[in-house]
Amino acid sequence: MTRSQIRLLVATTGVTALLVAAGYRAVVSPEEARQTVAAGTGPHPALPPPNLTFMPTVNIATPIGWQGTQAPTPAAGLAVHAFATGLDHPRWLYKLPNGDILVAESESPGTDIKTVKNRIAGLVMGQVGAGGKSPDRIILLRDTDGDGIADQRSVFLDHLYSPFGMALVGDTLYVANANALVRFPYHEGETHIDAPGEKAVDLPAGYNHHWTKNILASPDGSTLYVTVGSNSNVADNGMEVEEGRARIDRFDIATGKLTPYATGLRNPNGLAWEPQTGALWVAVNERDEIGSDLVPDYITAVKEGAFYGWPYSYYGQHVDVRVKPQRPDLVATAIAPDYALGPHTASLGIAFSQNSSLPEAWRSGLFVAQHGSWNRKPKSGYRVIYVPFADGHPDGAPRDVLTGFLTQDEAHTHGRPVGLALDKSGALLVADDVGNTVWRVTGTAQKTD
């Protein structure tokens, strides 16, 4: 095995034991952060020079779940309790008009491209609480007595393909599978859909490096915005397999046409409409393997037709020298995002708070779920934060909403937050895909409806 092959395996997995078992002496990179997460946060994050080490930092928190009455730690003035437990890898949340909550239970669909890199990466996914068989279904949760706990649940849809985003438009429910946008007829109050789904449009699939597809309906119900992540870290497999990826697409419901809306977004996830300006906002995961301090994930108002740099540059026109061939013509057009969320935080779900029932201090901003890092030492993310807004834009430093997902020594994690939604009372719901729980956050005097 060549030096480059060894580096590839370690960069992908961090499982040094595998290399030792194969007869190779693995050397752990001493790289670690030189600045705080806060320095890489805000409208003007610090962006130190890239740190290209022989082997990237791999710093995994082993999942242990929640025991007994354990729960995340809420900020002062807030309270948290389980809305639903015993779920199977709950990823994404969606509130129906009658208050029912849909939960997409999903894992990566895997890949039929059996490279050494993909096989070993699958082993590592198991170490961080992912990579198992996908439940491939959507669960409906209902709180019938208004006590803030779901007392009814049912399998709403099954036989899906790694579902993620959901959107109801009129009487049609759209679901974003990993490989296609599908639709189902919906009747208010039903707890299970028997009708077969109809494919609306194919979505890029394959290597499935970033397999999650989220969707958001336009306010007038004519359009769906669809997130499609890249198929690699920085075009590692060439640009041919990145066709149609690393972008937000626009799906016209009347014509069935899918067109690009914004490009150069490595792994866009959460989508939401900013209530004051009506702008489309997105949370994006940036690239890995150039040091613990780079590159910050971010939120930004999405500009139609804009190019955000991936893979050729980051945060505007900071060139990534790893990408070959270079595209200075595209880099010259790249724009910087609005607000950094810290390096490697894996920020996913977002929800604007103006319609929440939390105390006033939490009602003028954006909630962000940070799934947590693997490529930073010390770890980052593993929390839910709140970014204050004013006049439709971020205004100030983020504040913690929920912490305590990591153990005190950071070696283990009880859970990892993913999707967010506001329930019918305005409480904040948080999907925890490692803790198999949906948490409900309220003010301390509002633990139930």
Side-chain angles (χ1 to χ4, degrees):
M1 184 176 290
T2 67
R3 177 185 175 92
S4 62
Q5 287 174 320
I6 294 172
R7 185 184 183 279
L8 176 63
L9 292 179
V10 179
T12 306
T13 69
V15 186
T16 56
L18 290 177
L19 297 181
V20 173
Y24 296 95
R25 183 178 180 181
V27 180
V28 178
S29 169
E31 190 274 333
E32 60 183 76
R34 298 182 180 181
Q35 64 184 34
T36 63
V37 173
T41 301
H44 305 291
L47 300 172
N51 188 4
L52 289 165
T53 57
F54 176 74
M55 292 183 294
T57 295
V58 178
N59 188 19
I60 293 172
T62 304
I64 57 174
W66 305 94
Q67 305 299 321
T69 60
Q70 289 179 332
T73 303
L78 300 180
V80 63
H81 69 272
F83 179 70
T85 60
L87 295 163
D88 187 358
H89 222 70
R91 289 273 190 169
W92 217 240
L93 303 175
Y94 185 77
K95 184 188 71 172
L96 292 170
N98 69 343
D100 289 342
I101 301 297
L102 299 183
V103 185
E105 294 186 322
S106 195
E107 285 262 27
S108 168
T111 177
D112 55 3
I113 302 171
K114 301 300 182 182
T115 64
V116 173
K117 181 175 181 178
N118 286 340
R119 286 197 296 268
I120 298 181
L123 296 176
V124 174
M125 290 175 68
Q127 293 186 7
V128 298
K133 180 176 173 55
S134 179
D136 288 344
R137 64 187 183 184
I138 294 173
I139 300 296
L140 181 142
L141 301 176
R142 180 175 292 171
D143 176 9
T144 63
D145 56 10
D147 66 351
I149 299 173
D151 50 84
Q152 287 188 10
R153 74 174 68 185
S154 60
V155 176
F156 190 66
L157 281 169
D158 54 8
H159 305 296
L160 300 170
Y161 185 74
S162 296
F164 198 73
M166 299 158 280
L168 181 66
V169 179
D171 57 3
T172 301
L173 179 70
Y174 289 85
V175 177
N177 282 332
N179 62 352
L181 182 65
V182 294
R183 54 191 165 211
F184 301 85
Y186 169 75
H187 304 284
E188 185 170 323
E190 64 185 347
T191 58
H192 178 76
I193 293 179
D194 291 311
E198 175 188 17
K199 182 167 69 174
V201 69
D202 287 316
L203 298 176
Y207 282 88
N208 289 317
H209 185 75
H210 293 129
W211 56 272
T212 55
K213 310 292 197 298
N214 188 27
I215 53 177
L216 179 70
S218 62
D220 66 1
S222 67
T223 303
L224 292 176
Y225 293 85
V226 185
T227 68
V228 183
S230 67
N231 228 342
S232 64
N233 183 33
V234 280
D236 306 330
N237 305 305
M239 289 302 292
E240 288 185 4
V241 298
E242 302 295 346
E243 180 64 31
R245 304 192 69 129
R247 62 207 256 180
I248 296 173
D249 284 333
R250 180 166 47 193
F251 176 72
D252 185 276
I253 291 176
T255 66
K257 187 176 181 180
L258 190 71
T259 55
Y261 183 74
T263 59
L265 300 155
R266 177 179 175 272
N267 187 23
N269 281 273
L271 292 171
W273 298 106
E274 199 285 318
Q276 186 169 346
T277 63
L280 177 65
W281 279 74
V282 65
V284 177
N285 289 182
E286 254 293 353
R287 65 203 71 199
D288 297 316
E289 301 179 19
I290 50 176
S292 291
D293 293 319
L294 290 176
V295 173
D297 299 333
Y298 60 84
I299 50 173
T300 194
V302 187
K303 297 177 175 61
E304 183 175 1
F307 174 66
Y308 287 86
W310 190 91
Y312 306 104
S313 65
Y314 57 88
Y315 254 81
Q317 299 174 13
H318 294 80
V319 173
D320 193 328
V321 298
R322 297 172 294 176
V323 183
K324 307 294 182 184
Q326 292 284 306
R327 287 290 305 272
D329 56 327
L330 283 179
V331 171
T333 69
I335 64 173
D338 289 301
Y339 192 92
L341 296 170
H344 308 297
T345 55
S347 298
L348 300 176
I350 60 175
F352 280 101
S353 67
Q354 280 78 351
N355 293 325
S356 80
S357 57
L358 272 63
E360 185 64 31
W362 305 97
R363 291 188 197 170
S364 298
L366 183 71
F367 297 117
V368 182
Q370 299 189 320
H371 200 226
S373 63
W374 67 267
N375 186 218
R376 187 177 191 274
K377 184 178 181 182
K379 296 178 177 69
S380 59
Y382 297 93
R383 63 188 62 219
V384 178
I385 62 172
Y386 169 86
V387 179
F389 269 55
D391 299 322
H393 302 282
D395 182 39
R399 305 199 305 265
D400 288 339
V401 178
L402 287 182
T403 56
F405 290 91
L406 280 174
T407 56
Q408 191 168 6
D409 62 4
E410 295 194 352
H412 302 90
T413 182
H414 298 290
R416 304 180 76 183
V418 190
L420 302 178
L422 298 180
D423 73 8
K424 60 183 178 182
S425 74
L428 176 66
L429 299 179
V430 180
D432 173 356
D433 67 343
V434 167
N436 290 323
T437 299
V438 174
W439 301 101
R440 185 172 186 265
V441 182
T442 64
T444 53
Q446 303 168 327
K447 295 183 181 181
T448 60
D449 294 343

